[in-house]
Amino acid sequence: MEFKKEFLQKLQSAKKIVFFTGAGISAESGISTFRGKDGIWNKMKPEELASFDAFMRNPDLVWEWYQHRRDIVNKAQPNAGHTAIAEFEKFFDVSVVTQNIDNLHRSAGSKKIFELHGNIERNFCINCHTFYNSLEIELSNTVPKCSKCGGLVRPDVVWFGEMLPQDEFSEGEKAAEWSDICFVVGTSAVVYPAAYIPMSAKRGDSYLVEVNIEPTELSSYADYSLFGKAGEILPKILEEVKKFKS
Ligand code: BV8
Ligand code: ZN
């Protein structure tokens, strides 16, 4: 694979790198994306399941959907894309800003991770806010009740209409703004405020590189678009890095 010269030069001089990732980076680990070809939301609307109103209307249904996704996530392994990102840390100051809730960046060994939309492993009581990790509650297809107050327990993910965790978002924004290169990997970049992250990078004069199997909302905005699978492209970029860093 041939990369353009300008990109290779940026890679040689870069110190801080940000990876802004979405569902597409986990597609090769067997986790469905939301939008695009084979996206789960081609069949149902997000607000029908991923919102507080939906949960209150039918807690068992929403819980069962997350339980199903938890089963898939628990069996999934990081792929060559996640592993390459973790290995970039040997050569650069790397931050991973992710919309994913699947833990695969952590399993791959990435250290500095900002999770904008929460984590499917954590749960909390909507009444008294006691936290439970998935080992601490009985995971069945009906919604668990808090052992302290009997309230409904929900996954600690950010639903539509909910605020993002402020620290994760502002740290993620700062990392993007101060980065030399910002890779935008496997995201349709349509969900806000997460989709402001690449804009923060641009504002800070970072070099914006998109990695996706197809053009997105961001393509016209990116300095360089690489179309193909993240699990194939990212290891190739890492090979280039190794050529000049070793
Ligand atoms: C809020 C978590 C307000 C749980 C998810 C402007 C500003 C602010 C808000 C808004 C705004 N405009 C609209 C809004 C409202 C809304 C929004 O963005 N709506 C959109 C859809 C129009 N945003 C919100 O509601 C947010 N909160 O605004 O709060 C507020 C203010 C004050 C006080 C209180 C409240 C909260 C949004 C959070 C939504 N949570 N999920 C869960 O997962 O169940 S969203 C969901 O989309 C996903 O979880 C993911 O996190 C997110 C983004 O999706 P992507 O990761 O990009 O995935 P997608 O499937 O779309 O794309 C996959 C891509 O991969 C494709 O491009 C495909 O081509 C590519 N691909 C596939 N395979 C590969 C690949 N690429 C490379 N390699 C491959 N192998
Ligand atoms: Zn409680």
Side-chain angles (χ1 to χ4, degrees), residues 82-100:
H82 298 102
T83 312
I85 290 178
E87 218 184 317
F88 264 79
E89 281 185 19
K90 290 185 187 158
F91 309 103
F92 304 97
D93 174 354
V94 174
S95 302
V96 178
V97 184
T98 188
Q99 298 164 88
N100 298 345

Side-chain angles (χ1 to χ4, degrees), residues 4 27 32 40 82 113 135 142 148 167 188 202 208-209 227 233-234 246:
K4 77 174 177 184
S32 299
I40 49 176
H82 298 102
I113 306 168
L135 296 172
T142 52
K148 292 200 176 128
D167 287 356
S188 55
K202 261 305 211 194
L208 206 59
V209 182
F227 295 117
I233 292 179
L234 293 174
S246 54

Side-chain angles (χ1 to χ4, degrees), residues 130-173:
T130 299
F131 273 84
Y132 297 91
N133 69 39
S134 292
L135 296 172
E136 291 167 331
I137 43 173
E138 195 203 333
L139 292 172
S140 70
N141 281 341
T142 52
V143 65
K145 303 275 166 46
C146 174
S147 59
K148 292 200 176 128
C149 79
L152 299 177
V153 173
R154 61 165 280 183
D156 186 18
V157 298
V158 179
W159 281 330
F160 285 95
E162 293 185 330
M163 292 257 289
L164 273 62
Q166 284 310 299
D167 287 356
E168 306 275 319
F169 185 70
S170 59
E171 291 299 312
E173 258 196 322

Side-chain angles (χ1 to χ4, degrees), residues 22-24 27-28 33-35 41 50 65-66 69 99-101 117 157-164 186-193 196 211-214 216 228-230:
E28 290 159 76
T33 59
F34 298 86
R35 301 168 195 83
W41 286 345
W65 184 52
Y66 279 96
R69 289 173 58 198
Q99 298 164 88
N100 298 345
I101 58 174
H117 291 162
V157 298
V158 179
W159 281 330
F160 285 95
E162 293 185 330
M163 292 257 289
L164 273 62
T187 176
S188 55
V190 294
V191 174
Y192 284 87
Y196 288 132
V211 178
N212 201 301
I213 50 170
E214 60 186 22
T216 69
K229 291 183 172 175

